[in-house]
Amino acid sequence: MKLGRNDPCWCGSHRKYKSCHMMFDDKLEKLREQGVLVPDHSLIKTPEQIEGIKASAKINMACLDAVGEVIHAGMSTQEIDDIVYRVTTEMGGIPAPLNYQGFPKSVCTSINDVVCHGIPDEDMILEDGDIVNVDVSTIYKGYFSDSSRMFLIGNVSDNDRKLVQVTKEAMEKGLEKVRPWTHLGDMAQAVHEYVEKHGFSVVREIGGHGIGLEFHEDPWVSYVANAGEEMMMVPGLCFTIEPMVNAGKPDVVLDDEDGWTIYTEDGSKSAQWEIQVVVTETGCEVLCW
Ligand code: MF3
Ligand code: CO
């Protein structure tokens, strides 16, 4: 169904189509005809939806701030889960991981050679020298936010510090490449080139995702793709930049017993940082970090 020039725009702006998304739609249609992978309307966030996501992100970031203030050697990952559950619910949110496809806790806590999706447990105690990723995701009034940070526990080796730092910088290199009418692969190439320059590797099988109205929306986001590949970034597209970086080989294995925890196959350490961004007319805006 084609909108008339004077019809209200599909984005909910209450503006006429011709002065809102009409040229945008024409541009997308031409690109689609040329064989470029472009997102459809369902993935384009409206200004109102972006405000909703920001409100959700406020809770998400408050959780990570609260964890960062108290995380220490001797603490269990269950205590981290307790903090995330408490802060989220006190602020009116719902922890998105809780019961998500059977995930039993409110947050993922991934220590050392755990790549991602570590399950908090009262018997899992943080030790001096550990590196740990805390991955928080929030639902608030139907809007989803998602970000993760690394924490250094006590005296961390120089190599492990470097892994954590390079991973953060790689995410930032990717962020610099997020602008409209370029490809997700442009961002991905910036990430993996930076990682490989430092002698580390990027996990291939697990990536980022679109997010906003659902926890995991299209597109799936690779960090090993190359420039010109993958979906085109257009204003309103909202997704995560969350590369997982291994000190050794990129290969990963799933823990068959719990069905969630992902480890490096070679036992090397792994780090991850995650932010959530939305593409704008001129570049992008970081919504959650
Ligand atoms: N933040 C993680 C992600 O982006 C959440 C993992 S899903 C869970 O996929 F169920 F493990 F929480
Ligand atoms: Co995510």
Side-chain angles (χ1 to χ4, degrees), residues 108-129:
C108 298
T109 49
S110 303
I111 305 171
N112 295 334
D113 65 328
V114 175
V115 174
C116 64
H117 302 169
I119 304 173
D121 193 297
E122 57 188 307
D123 295 328
M124 188 83 72
I125 308 296
L126 296 176
E127 290 175 15
D128 187 66

Side-chain angles (χ1 to χ4, degrees), residues 160-178:
D160 293 353
R161 265 176 202 278
K162 184 181 159 204
L163 175 67
V164 170
Q165 186 60 23
V166 166
T167 305
K168 188 176 194 189
E169 288 164 2
M171 178 195 75
E172 291 163 353
K173 293 286 176 194
L175 176 63
E176 284 172 18
K177 291 284 185 186
V178 179

Side-chain angles (χ1 to χ4, degrees), residues 146 209 216 240 242 274:
D146 190 1
H209 49 95
H216 297 115
T240 64
E242 52 173 318
E274 175 177 20

Side-chain angles (χ1 to χ4, degrees), residues 4-199:
R5 296 170 55 80
N6 292 316
D7 288 339
C9 187
W10 54 262
C11 81
S13 64
H14 303 295
R15 279 155 59 198
K16 287 182 178 168
Y17 184 47
K18 66 181 178 193
S19 52
C20 197
H21 275 94
M22 191 175 84
M23 293 209 336
F24 173 86
D25 282 350
D26 287 347
K27 189 166 180 174
L28 282 195
E29 195 45 46
K30 286 209 178 67
L31 287 161
R32 208 176 269 128
E33 280 164 15
Q34 290 164 22
V36 178
L37 181 60
V38 290
D40 59 46
H41 285 174
S42 69
L43 302 179
I44 307 299
K45 303 298 179 282
T46 67
E48 187 188 342
Q49 290 168 342
I50 291 167
E51 288 312 306
I53 293 167
K54 282 182 181 172
S56 175
K58 200 172 162 186
I59 300 173
N60 212 69
M61 296 187 286
C63 289
L64 283 165
D65 290 345
V67 169
E69 275 172 28
V70 299
I71 196 166
H72 63 273
M75 183 180 194
S76 75
T77 52
Q78 179 59 50
E79 288 174 72
I80 296 173
D81 193 79
D82 293 342
I83 292 167
V84 170
Y85 183 82
R86 179 176 53 75
V87 173
T88 303
T89 52
E90 277 177 5
M91 293 178 75
I94 302 165
L98 190 57
N99 303 318
Y100 174 78
Q101 295 185 359
F103 192 80
K105 299 284 175 171
S106 296
V107 62
C108 298
T109 49
S110 303
I111 305 171
N112 295 334
D113 65 328
V114 175
V115 174
C116 64
H117 302 169
I119 304 173
D121 193 297
E122 57 188 307
D123 295 328
M124 188 83 72
I125 308 296
L126 296 176
E127 290 175 15
D128 187 66
D130 282 348
I131 58 170
V132 56
N133 173 274
V134 178
D135 189 343
V136 180
S137 317
T138 302
I139 315 170
Y140 180 64
K141 296 186 177 172
Y143 293 106
F144 289 77
S145 56
D146 190 1
S147 60
S148 80
R149 301 179 194 163
M150 293 297 296
F151 296 99
L152 306 173
I153 307 302
N155 295 300
V156 170
S157 74
D158 286 346
N159 279 346
D160 293 353
R161 265 176 202 278
K162 184 181 159 204
L163 175 67
V164 170
Q165 186 60 23
V166 166
T167 305
K168 188 176 194 189
E169 288 164 2
M171 178 195 75
E172 291 163 353
K173 293 286 176 194
L175 176 63
E176 284 172 18
K177 291 284 185 186
V178 179
R179 35 194 163 80
W181 317 113
T182 66
H183 291 263
L184 280 168
D186 303 359
M187 175 280 293
Q189 182 168 326
V191 170
H192 71 78
E193 272 182 359
Y194 189 79
V195 167
E196 286 151 12
K197 190 172 90 183
H198 288 88

